[in-house]
Amino acid sequence: MPSLPSHIALIVVDVQRAFDEWEAAGKRRNNPDAVARIADLLRAFRASGAPIFHIRHEGTKPTSSFRPDGSGYKVKDEAREAPGEPVIVKRVNSAFIGTDLESRLRAAGITTLVICGATTNHCVETTTRMAGNLGFDAHLVRDATWTFDRIGPDGDAHSAEAIHAMTLSNLNGEFARIVSTGEMIAALAAA
């Protein structure tokens, strides 16, 4: 179980309804309980008084599922921000590019980031890599993120489970510590 300093924040990446729409359209995902685990993390962080930053993706292409005027832009009810919790809008796959996230974290003295959200191999991975590269002690919560099946450039099918596992393997140790929701909640309670 990781030991956590007092300068910790939860980063909730893109828990938006577009992903529900993708599923309804037939895309298959892994980790069906991820949003419930994100809700568990939100409850624990709120109870501890630790800061929470909500990241929201705003699509810029006309066909994006994340256009601010579309139904997919809205946040899932389980992950909605509470009053006073900042929402940072990004337009690329990293929560650090084109936003003031890093300056907010530095100004607050935050050194440890607990990252969850969607999708494992896109915005969560990119945000986690950048957090590690920027010198934050990043913890990626394995059961509080998910992804979708994909077809590779050679036409090979890759399951969401395999993509999720490979992404966690790629990040583990170099960019982040890979942890579970239970481990993070226990560490937060002990801090």
Side-chain angles (χ1 to χ4, degrees):
M1 173 172 40
S3 63
L4 298 175
S6 59
H7 301 297
I8 186 170
L10 179 64
I11 309 294
V12 182
V13 180
D14 301 350
V15 186
Q16 291 167 261
R17 293 184 181 172
F19 298 118
D20 294 338
E21 294 173 2
W22 292 9
E23 274 191 272
K27 289 190 176 191
R28 196 191 76 80
R29 64 173 270 191
N30 72 315
N31 200 2
D33 295 329
V35 176
R37 299 297 72 80
I38 292 166
D40 292 341
L41 288 167
L42 284 166
R43 276 190 295 279
F45 271 75
R46 287 172 179 148
S48 77
I52 299 168
F53 293 83
H54 298 266
I55 311 302
R56 192 161 304 152
H57 189 76
E58 181 178 287
T60 57
K61 296 179 182 174
T63 58
S64 174
S65 302
F66 297 91
R67 300 263 319 159
D69 56 353
S71 58
Y73 183 74
K74 293 183 169 113
V75 174
K76 292 174 68 64
D77 290 340
E78 304 92 327
R80 186 161 310 287
E81 64 276 1
E85 294 174 355
V87 175
I88 296 172
V89 177
K90 65 179 181 58
R91 292 175 183 86
V92 296
N93 53 20
S94 171
F96 290 100
I97 294 178
T99 73
D100 65 350
L101 177 60
E102 182 183 2
S103 62
R104 286 180 184 230
L105 295 171
R106 303 259 188 233
I110 295 167
T111 56
T112 300
L113 303 181
V114 176
I115 302 167
C116 63
T119 60
T120 312
N121 57 312
H122 286 109
C123 298
V124 169
E125 178 179 17
T126 306
T127 297
T128 302
R129 284 178 182 271
M130 286 199 70
N133 283 332
L134 290 168
F136 291 100
D137 181 19
H139 295 71
L140 176 54
V141 187
R142 68 186 316 138
D143 56 346
T145 183
W146 75 93
T147 193
F148 292 85
D149 293 348
R150 293 186 63 86
I151 302 296
D154 298 326
D156 296 339
H158 301 281
S159 72
E161 292 80 8
I163 294 166
H164 182 84
M166 183 55 67
T167 301
L168 297 177
S169 296
N170 288 338
L171 294 171
N172 187 41
E174 185 173 357
F175 298 99
R177 295 182 218 186
I178 308 303
V179 297
S180 71
T181 298
E183 289 171 329
M184 290 313 306
I185 291 173
L188 193 61

